């Protein structure tokens, strides 16, 4: 169910930007990485809440 003011694609893009410096692949298992590479799953779906909070809190 969509949440007003929340666009999952925007959050995913922000996470990708934050992870560029630290390498997306290092945060994912092999299966998760393959799913991400196939564009079948987004980072929002693959990362847990703690990882997302940590990445979004970094400046």
């Amino acid at each position: 169910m969509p949440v007003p003011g929340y666009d999952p694609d925007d959050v995913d893009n922000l996470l990708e930007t934050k992870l560029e410096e630290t390498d997306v692949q290092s945060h994912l298992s092999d299966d998760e990485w393959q799913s991400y590479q196939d564009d079948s799953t987004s980072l929002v779906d693959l990362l847990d809440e703690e990882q997302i909070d940590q990445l979004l809190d970094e400046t």
Side-chain angles (χ1 to χ4, degrees):
M1 176 173 142
V3 176
Y6 169 78
D7 183 350
D9 290 334
D10 288 345
V11 175
D12 201 57
N13 289 338
L14 179 59
L15 291 171
E16 287 174 348
T17 301
K18 295 280 190 173
L19 283 172
E20 281 181 351
E21 297 175 13
T22 58
D23 187 29
V24 173
Q25 189 173 4
S26 68
H27 286 76
L28 304 174
S29 70
D30 291 338
D31 290 336
E32 290 172 334
W33 175 247
Q34 186 62 47
S35 177
Y36 176 71
Q37 287 297 102
D38 294 342
D39 288 329
S40 59
T41 310
S42 70
L43 285 176
V44 172
D45 294 326
L46 293 171
L47 298 174
D48 64 33
E49 184 179 345
E50 184 178 318
Q51 289 172 307
I52 291 171
D53 285 344
Q54 183 181 19
L55 289 167
L56 295 177
D57 285 342
E58 291 177 0
T59 55

